[in-house]
């Protein structure tokens, strides 16, 4: 049977999968980048691999979605839509695949329905296969995406997120598949999302068998991670019991926490008597030969802890979160605490919070809570806003059991029962005024935005604006190869750089002097293709000017807040300033929102009074104890 090409109608694709004598492979390049390189694989590298990946004959290439949409702008300075357009030019026949978090889209919290639908419509211009999941396996959280994907004529691939424990039975998952099919109808692909690489081959085989026994015409796609080194075994078991698509990636870039290598999967399954449909082995080898020369540029982003982790069966941290979590540990200075967090506290927190699925954004809630518990020495003493929302049911109902009452009391306060009665349950998020949002974006950009820019802004307001402004000032820096983009130590005066950009052009960059003027501004002179450009860089200042960092205890911070002196209770960035100077606030009003480890926590007023001084702005970096604002209390 021949490969499936981009442009095939969904019904045709589903029927060919039902009739397949063998199996297909999805190359999960995005997941590999996220799991083993903190999402830093550049577009330049993806384009080098594109021609051979195109000839390889994959069922699909997962090249966007998950955290990559955010990190494309935040760390790689590339427009996610430009990336898709350029790779599509190089890969005209391969289906593109995305990973979508349902109501959370490509972000970390629920979005309004009209934002969800607009986002799917814009990405559907490029994305053929939509792998959609919800971290609580709550089907209503995925419904809007299902509907828009179908309207766009693309392929729906709903997920059941997999985990282990006494609650995670075959019957539970089979019932969840039935619930999905009641919404989507039969013409879908069903993904088993084993994001942590959990369970044994036997366990995965049993699950696939149970699903196929109940739904024999349903194509099953197995996705796993190789964190414990055992995903080849799980893949073999999945195919043996009826999975028709499995995930793997290029051998040259595979590491410890992402998918296993394509060629090893093929060779192992061949010995088992299963044929890979449409795959060109020579093109697969060629891709890895090309990528081998690139891997060294990304070494700085590989995990701080290397080697397989069989203990993932206990802590359940997903492959996609391993790299970013360890990076946070390094930046936060607690890498030495990671064994305790992973092997003791994280499993404990997971059991206490309902044994749900440790995948975004739920994995961040679990990780952040476990870190806070260990570092503070007092469990659940500094809950994030997202943990609070989880307990309030804002993400959906707990699938198996609710946490014990003492956790509700620690997180929600002594009046937790009243808080639950007043504020629990999924709240309907009102649609935003898209025309107004577009007008505000126009004002912030200084130019008329298109719908794709609006989509990015609606999901990541601050980071999208920063990216648009960066691109306006510095141009399309995604043309740079990793040898230049990630070069450490700077460049020497007079140094000349040569490289080939994605369009086949060969720019020449020459570095001139970088004098510093009396105000501290650095002027960097560059010749780009013999045309001189000058870039001005402002001196770096402390986020809170003219204020010496102070170390305050949790009790001291609370005492100051009760007097109207609002301080940061933890290190993070200011995501939102919710008040203005001169504004009257009441006790319990939201003052600012702080963000740390992708979790947002609102800071509420402890007094009624007038805001007299705000010392931070959106984007400010704070340490625990830094002043945020001052309120003059009123009687």
């Amino acid at each position: 049977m021949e490969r499936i090409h981009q442009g095939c109608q969904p019904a045709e694709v589903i029927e060919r999968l039902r009739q397949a004598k063998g199996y297909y492979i999805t190359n999960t390049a995005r997941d590999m980048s996220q799991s083993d390189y903190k999402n830093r694989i550049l577009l330049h590298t993806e384009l080098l691999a594109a021609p051979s990946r195109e000839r390889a004959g994959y069922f699909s290439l997962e090249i966007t979605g998950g955290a990559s949409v955010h990190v494309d702008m935040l760390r790689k300075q590339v427009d996610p839509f430009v990336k898709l357009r350029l790779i599509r030019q190089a890969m005209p026949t391969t289906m593109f695949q995305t990973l979508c978090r349902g109501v959370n889209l490509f972000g970390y919290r629920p979005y309004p329905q009209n934002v969800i639908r607009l986002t799917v419509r814009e990405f559907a211009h490029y994305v053929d296969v939509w792998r959609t999941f919800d971290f609580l396996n709550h089907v209503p959280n995925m419904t809007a995406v299902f509907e828009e994907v179908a309207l766009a004529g693309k392929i729906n691939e709903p997920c059941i997120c997999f985990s282990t424990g006494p609650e995670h039975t075959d019957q539970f998952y089979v019932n969840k598949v039935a619930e999905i099919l009641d919404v989507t109808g039969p013409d879908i692909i069903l993904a088993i999302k084993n994001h942590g690489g959990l369970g044994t081959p036997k366990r995965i085989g049993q699950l696939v068998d149970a699903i196929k026994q109940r739904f024999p015409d349903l194509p099953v796609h197995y996705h796993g991670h190789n964190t414990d080194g055992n995903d080849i075994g799980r893949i073999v078991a999945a195919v043996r019991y009826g999975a028709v698509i499995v995930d793997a990636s290029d051998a040259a870039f595979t590491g410890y926490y992402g998918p296993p290598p394509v060629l090893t999967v093929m060779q192992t399954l061949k010995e088992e008597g299963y044929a890979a449909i449409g795959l060109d082995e020579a093109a697969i080898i060629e891709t890895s030969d090309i990528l081998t020369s690139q891997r060294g540029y990304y070494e700085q982003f590989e995990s701080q802890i290397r080697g397989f982790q069989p203990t993932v069966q206990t802590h359940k941290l997903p492959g996609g979160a391993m790299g970013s979590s360890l990076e946070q540990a390094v930046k936060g200075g607690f890498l030495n605490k990671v064994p305790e967090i992973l092997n003791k506290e994280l499993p404990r927190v997971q059991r206490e919070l309902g044994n749900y699925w440790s995948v975004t954004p739920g994995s961040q809630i679990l990780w952040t809570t476990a870190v806070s518990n260990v570092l503070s020495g007092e469990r659940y003493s500094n809950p994030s806003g997202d943990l609070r929302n989880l307990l309030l049911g804002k993400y959906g109902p707990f699938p198996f059991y609710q946490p014990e009452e003492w956790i509700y009391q620690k997180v929600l306060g002594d009046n937790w029962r009243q808080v639950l009665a007043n504020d629990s349950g999924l709240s309907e998020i009102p649609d935003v005024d898209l025309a107004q949002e577009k007008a505000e974006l126009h004002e912030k950009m200084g130019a008329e935005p298109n719908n794709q820019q609006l989509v990015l802004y609606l999901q990541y307001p601050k980071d999208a604006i920063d990216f648009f402004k960066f691109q306006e000032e510095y141009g399309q820096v995604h043309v740079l190869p990793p040898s230049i983009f990630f070069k450490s130590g700077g460049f020497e005066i007079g140094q000349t750089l040569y490289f080939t950009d994605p369009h086949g052009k060969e720019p020449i960059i020459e570095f001139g002097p970088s004098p510093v003027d009396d105000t501290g501004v650095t002027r960097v002179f560059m010749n780009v293709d013999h045309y001189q450009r000058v870039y001005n860089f402002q001196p770096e200042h402390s986020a809170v000017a003219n204020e010496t960092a102070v170390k305050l205890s949790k009790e001291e911070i609370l005492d100051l807040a009760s007097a109207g002196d609002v301080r940061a209770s933890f290190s993070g960035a200011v995501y939102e300033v919710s008040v203005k100077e001169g504004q009257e606030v009441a006790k319990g009003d939201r003052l600012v929102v702080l963000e740390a480890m992708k979790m947002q926590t609102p800071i509420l007023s402890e007094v009624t009074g007038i805001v007299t001084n705000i010392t931070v702005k959106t984007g400010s970096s704070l340490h625990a104890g830094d002043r945020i604002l001052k309120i003059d209390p009123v009687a």
Side-chain angles (χ1 to χ4, degrees), residues 170 200-212 237 241:
D170 287 344
T200 63
K202 180 180 179 181
R203 177 70 191 92
I204 294 301
Q206 289 173 339
L207 177 59
V208 175
D209 186 41
I211 293 170
K212 294 295 289 184
Y241 284 98

Side-chain angles (χ1 to χ4, degrees), residues 381-614:
S381 64
N382 189 27
S384 68
D386 295 277
L387 174 57
R388 179 184 175 91
N389 285 336
L390 176 72
L391 295 184
L392 289 172
K394 300 301 182 184
Y395 290 104
F398 284 97
F400 304 118
Y401 58 87
Q402 291 182 293
E404 295 181 11
E405 292 183 354
W406 69 269
I407 295 178
Y408 281 93
Q409 184 176 14
K410 291 280 285 188
V411 174
L412 302 179
D414 290 338
N415 64 334
W416 64 273
R417 295 182 191 276
Q418 190 62 45
V419 173
L420 276 179
N422 294 340
D423 200 27
S424 66
L426 273 169
S427 54
E428 186 171 338
I429 304 173
D431 283 352
V432 298
D433 186 330
L434 294 176
Q436 180 180 335
E437 294 288 340
K438 198 168 188 177
E440 291 179 2
L441 178 56
H442 185 175
E443 182 179 349
K444 292 175 181 178
M445 287 178 58
E448 180 67 28
N450 58 39
N451 278 350
Q452 293 177 355
Q453 290 170 319
L454 177 61
V455 159
L456 299 175
Y457 170 72
L458 290 170
Q459 290 180 86
Y460 325 101
K462 177 186 178 300
D463 293 331
I465 290 294
D466 288 347
F467 167 70
F468 298 148
K469 289 181 177 178
F470 177 94
Q471 189 169 244
E472 178 68 22
E473 184 170 1
Y474 298 111
Q476 305 283 341
V477 301
H478 65 257
V479 302
L480 295 172
S483 58
I484 297 175
F485 195 97
F486 292 131
K487 184 181 184 332
S488 60
F491 300 93
E492 298 178 4
I493 294 175
Q495 184 175 359
T496 303
L497 303 177
Y498 304 91
F499 66 95
T500 303
D501 72 14
H503 306 287
K505 297 179 180 178
E506 297 183 351
I508 301 173
I509 302 176
E510 299 170 294
F511 289 89
S514 303
V516 181
D517 66 20
D518 293 339
T519 65
V521 173
T522 301
R523 304 183 70 201
V524 177
F525 289 81
M526 292 175 59
N527 288 330
V528 180
D529 290 339
H530 308 295
Y531 173 77
Q532 187 176 83
R533 301 183 184 186
V534 182
Y535 297 98
N536 296 322
F537 293 89
Q538 298 294 329
E540 292 187 4
H541 294 292
S542 172
V544 183
N546 302 320
E547 186 166 337
T548 303
V550 294
K551 289 188 177 181
L552 299 173
S553 68
K554 177 185 175 184
E555 290 73 20
E556 289 172 324
I557 291 172
L558 289 174
D559 287 343
L560 288 169
S562 298
D565 187 355
V566 181
R567 305 293 184 112
S569 55
F570 57 89
S571 297
V574 178
Y575 180 82
E576 173 190 296
V577 178
S578 309
V579 294
K580 298 178 180 178
E581 290 184 0
Q583 180 176 335
E584 183 175 347
V585 295
K587 183 176 181 179
D589 284 353
R590 186 171 70 187
L591 303 173
V592 298
V593 179
L594 299 186
E595 184 172 58
M597 298 190 228
K598 301 178 184 176
M599 297 289 101
Q600 293 178 3
T601 300
I603 305 300
L604 308 180
S605 179
E606 295 294 328
V607 297
T608 296
I610 305 295
V611 178
T612 57
N613 186 30
I614 299 175

Side-chain angles (χ1 to χ4, degrees), residues 329-386:
V330 171
K331 290 180 178 178
F334 60 90
L335 188 62
N336 62 317
K337 296 285 188 181
V338 165
E340 179 184 356
I341 294 168
L342 285 181
N343 299 322
K344 294 181 180 179
E345 185 60 21
L346 190 55
R348 187 179 177 189
V349 168
Q350 181 141 50
R351 290 191 300 271
E352 290 171 346
L353 295 184
N355 198 21
Y356 64 78
W357 296 268
S358 181
V359 63
T360 305
S363 54
Q364 279 88 348
I365 296 174
L366 293 169
W367 168 257
T368 303
T369 302
V371 169
S372 176
N373 289 354
V374 169
L375 298 186
S376 71
E378 184 181 349
R379 306 187 73 242
Y380 297 98
S381 64
N382 189 27
S384 68
D386 295 277

Side-chain angles (χ1 to χ4, degrees), residues 117-263:
R117 294 179 184 279
L118 176 64
T119 300
V120 174
R121 287 197 295 270
E122 290 302 319
F123 273 92
H125 292 303
Y126 310 96
V127 176
D128 307 288
V129 182
W130 286 75
R131 177 180 285 170
T132 305
F133 74 92
D134 179 72
F135 82 97
L136 293 173
N137 274 328
H138 188 53
V139 176
N141 283 347
M142 301 184 278
T143 300
V145 176
F146 295 161
E147 292 173 352
E148 289 299 324
V149 169
L151 287 172
K154 304 299 182 178
I155 298 168
N156 263 313
E157 186 175 295
C159 293
I160 51 169
C161 295
F162 173 77
S163 189
T164 53
E167 302 83 13
H168 295 265
T169 64
D170 287 344
Q171 190 59 55
F172 172 84
Y173 287 114
V174 169
N175 290 344
K176 190 60 63 174
V177 174
E179 188 180 344
I180 289 170
L181 291 170
D182 284 344
V183 174
T184 63
D187 291 335
I188 63 166
I189 302 168
L190 188 280
I192 297 173
K193 181 173 172 54
N194 190 5
H195 43 276
L198 302 178
T200 63
K202 180 180 179 181
R203 177 70 191 92
I204 294 301
Q206 289 173 339
L207 177 59
V208 175
D209 186 41
I211 293 170
K212 294 295 289 184
Q213 290 285 346
R214 175 79 178 274
F215 307 104
D217 292 332
L218 179 63
V220 172
H221 187 162
Y222 172 76
H223 163 79
H225 282 248
N226 203 32
T227 307
D228 65 347
N230 202 20
D231 210 51
I232 296 287
R234 289 186 286 264
I235 287 172
V236 171
V239 172
R240 182 180 294 142
Y241 284 98
V244 71
I245 316 170
V246 296
D247 284 358
S249 201
D250 303 290
F253 266 22
T254 48
Y256 302 108
Y257 305 131
V262 171
L263 202 56

